[in-house]
Amino acid sequence: MSEAAQAAAVQDTFDVVVVGAGPVGQTVADKTRAAGLSVAVVERELVGGECSYWACVPSKALLRPVIAVSDARRVDGARQAVTGPVAAGGAFARRDGFVTGWKDDGQADWVHGIGAELVRGHGRLDGPRRVAVQTSRGERRVLTARHAVAVATGSKPAIPAIPGIDEAKPWTNREATDSHTVPPRLAIVGGGGVAVEMATAWQGLGSQVTLLVRRSGLLPRMEPFVGEMVAVGLAEAGVMIRTGVSVTALSRPGGTGPVTLTLDDGGALEADEILYATGRLPLTDDIGLESVGLSPGAWLDVDESCRVRGLDGGWLYALGDINHHALLTHQGKYQARIAGAAIGALAAGRELDTAAWGPHAATADVHAVPQVFFCDPEACAVGLSAAEAERAGHRVRAVDVDLGRTVKGADLYADGYTGRARMLVDEDTGRLLGVTFVGPAVSELLHSATVAVAGQIPVGRLWHAVPCFPTISEVWLRLLEAYGAGGEGGAVRDGAD
């Protein structure tokens, strides 16, 4: 910035400057304000971020009526009461309520309510501890941080550069969650979480969905049986699934009307809309990283307290999607709590505790990341998969349970309940390394698994955590029985190291 521009800019100093006011930025702002630090929060779009308006919240609002109807149809006596399809208009209206009509007044008031200052505009790093903001009023404002700058700008959809992509005007997660019309035919490219959730939602809302998956299966980062069972559920709902196929070109003359997809197997497909759910890229290409010697557009490498590595002074923190640890809102908020505590400690002159499971170390990003996909059936997991555990050198034993055949609570929940659970036990320590569930309503089981994995609870001790009868959580009893814990000749220690 020129000397004249610097002189003309409004300049303010705060203890902490947060760039990005999504859930992650809000959390670190709240944590540092609670430590008595002055905070400025910069946001160029809506306060509340992607999660509140175009991802977690609206997608679950759209999915809920679809899953509710599906659950009712699984229970005799209830299925007879379901006489028609999901009313898309009602689902859209409910979604609109949850995103407050894409207005952020309430969330902006929350920022003011914690005592932070909200600066609306595009914030860019402008050298060490400085953020230059082009405000929404056309002004230039320079914010200086005494202690820390926390960047939580999130990620954006990865769209492939193939012929016809611009004229095709593909949907991303934003259009898939804010549309008020149901496309008769929707092609979804991808096989991960966004793809399977949106396939569930839009098939249930009335689209004929075709899912195009480059790999051989769905949800490739989870246990293989998860993708297989989700594929069966989607197919039973009417979704057309084609695996091992890629889109090589798109055509939509004039940018209107149907879009034609050219496939690498020589075939073609016509749809009314196409949704790309093929991964995410960091929103770091235009936040001034070059001003501090970092590469624009890159994921940011951080230490245990989420401080960016390689910068003198340890003043820059990268939280949420942009550090590429786990692109999940709850993990970003966890990181923000860790970083906020670290910033507060350093500002008070205290040393950081970054030992394993210490208050300033985001250890769960490695050992105990929970994730849920709200497709039908639901799929969720925490910790490692069997393949990941073996690659990491653990000596593991996998224990599997069929929920429908062995858990009375599951059988009561739905006629012909289909689901599966797996726990991975480290045979050298007798502790859980990972747990996976797939089936209707399993998402509410996940936190018990997360506590067990994060707490490194010996499997034998879990025998004394008694599940209520008749609930689906009895799966824990079935898993422990299958492993041999608690009974005569049980192979698991019950106690400390």
Side-chain angles (χ1 to χ4, degrees):
M1 184 166 60
S2 69
E3 292 184 4
Q6 288 183 18
V10 177
Q11 303 200 34
D12 291 299
T13 299
F14 298 85
D15 291 322
V16 179
V17 177
V18 179
V19 183
V24 179
Q26 290 176 335
T27 300
V28 73
D30 192 29
K31 190 75 172 178
T32 49
R33 276 296 299 134
L37 303 178
S38 61
V39 179
V41 180
V42 181
E43 177 55 55
R44 66 183 179 89
E45 290 191 307
L46 295 177
V47 179
E50 195 82 6
C51 177
S52 298
Y53 303 103
W54 298 287
C56 318
V57 172
S59 67
K60 304 315 168 284
L62 290 175
L63 281 159
R64 181 62 196 136
V66 173
I67 300 298
V69 168
S70 181
D71 278 348
R73 287 176 173 150
R74 293 187 177 105
V75 180
D76 196 15
R79 70 171 61 95
Q80 289 83 353
V82 180
T83 58
V86 172
F92 293 152
R94 185 171 186 269
R95 181 268 322 273
D96 292 354
F98 276 102
V99 300
T100 60
W102 291 273
K103 295 180 180 179
D104 66 356
D105 297 359
Q107 300 224 41
D109 288 345
W110 180 89
V111 174
H112 296 306
I114 66 169
E117 181 166 344
L118 176 61
V119 182
R120 291 188 180 272
H122 192 137
R124 298 176 178 87
L125 295 173
D126 189 38
R129 293 186 170 85
R130 288 165 56 93
V131 175
V133 184
Q134 190 67 35
T135 73
S136 55
R137 297 179 179 180
E139 303 169 338
R140 186 173 180 84
R141 186 172 177 184
V142 177
L143 310 177
T144 301
R146 295 186 186 92
H147 298 295
V149 175
V151 181
T153 49
S155 61
K156 60 184 178 181
I159 304 297
I162 62 173
I165 192 75
D166 291 334
E167 71 173 6
K169 299 179 180 178
W171 279 10
T172 66
N173 65 287
R174 290 200 169 193
E175 292 79 12
T177 55
D178 71 13
S179 176
H180 286 81
T181 60
V182 178
R185 299 166 299 175
L186 175 64
I188 301 178
V189 183
V194 173
V196 298
E197 285 192 349
M198 291 297 93
T200 299
W202 286 103
Q203 184 72 33
L205 290 169
S207 290
Q208 173 55 64
V209 174
T210 301
L211 194 57
L212 302 169
V213 187
R214 179 168 54 86
R215 298 183 179 88
S216 59
L218 305 178
L219 301 174
R221 295 185 179 181
M222 302 187 81
E223 299 284 10
F225 67 82
V226 175
E228 294 168 4
M229 295 181 72
V230 170
V232 170
L234 289 173
E236 289 177 347
V239 175
M240 305 293 292
I241 303 174
R242 299 182 61 177
T243 59
V245 63
S246 296
V247 180
T248 58
L250 300 172
S251 176
R252 194 177 210 171
T256 60
V259 57
T260 300
L261 293 69
T262 301
L263 308 178
D264 63 352
D265 62 3
L269 176 70
E270 187 174 89
D272 297 287
E273 298 290 352
I274 177 173
L275 163 62
Y276 267 92
T278 50
R280 309 284 293 183
L281 297 172
L283 269 172
T284 59
D285 52 328
D286 191 21
I287 61 169
L289 291 181
E290 65 280 0
S291 74
V292 294
L294 299 174
S295 300
W299 304 102
L300 296 179
D301 183 30
V302 299
D303 67 11
E304 297 90 342
S305 61
C306 295
R307 285 189 295 186
V308 176
R309 300 182 194 272
L311 289 182
D312 292 338
W315 56 273
L316 182 62
Y317 291 74
L319 311 170
D321 286 8
I322 60 173
N323 65 33
H324 210 223
H325 281 195
L327 278 66
L328 301 162
T329 296
H330 48 272
Q331 288 301 119
K333 293 171 70 174
Y334 161 71
Q335 294 167 12
R337 293 191 292 272
I338 296 292
I343 292 168
L346 291 171
R350 301 194 302 272
E351 293 186 2
L352 298 187
D353 179 1
T354 57
W357 306 105
H360 307 128
T363 314
D365 278 351
V366 178
H367 300 291
V369 175
Q371 56 182 332
V372 179
F373 300 118
F374 295 89
C375 42
D376 188 17
E378 290 181 345
C380 58
V382 62
L384 304 178
S385 67
E388 289 170 337
E390 290 172 1
R391 285 196 297 269
H394 296 285
R395 190 170 65 90
V396 298
R397 178 180 167 194
V399 179
D400 293 308
V401 165
D402 184 321
L403 277 79
R405 293 184 178 180
T406 63
V407 179
K408 178 59 70 174
D411 196 33
L412 287 166
Y413 185 87
D415 301 336
Y417 188 105
T418 301
R420 183 171 170 183
R422 167 173 288 182
M423 73 175 187
L424 294 176
V425 182
D426 186 320
E427 293 285 74
D428 295 318
T429 66
R431 294 169 175 164
L432 297 186
L433 291 176
V435 182
T436 298
F437 302 108
V438 59
V442 295
S443 59
E444 297 299 338
L445 296 175
L446 187 61
H447 193 60
S448 58
T450 302
V451 170
V453 173
Q456 298 182 325
I457 300 171
V459 176
R461 182 69 56 80
L462 292 176
W463 183 258
H464 302 285
V466 183
C468 289
F469 178 85
T471 64
I472 302 176
S473 62
E474 273 197 302
V475 66
W476 282 106
L477 182 57
R478 304 285 89 85
L479 286 166
L480 294 169
E481 289 172 341
Y483 185 72
E488 292 185 6
V492 181
R493 301 187 305 276
D494 180 9
D497 290 338

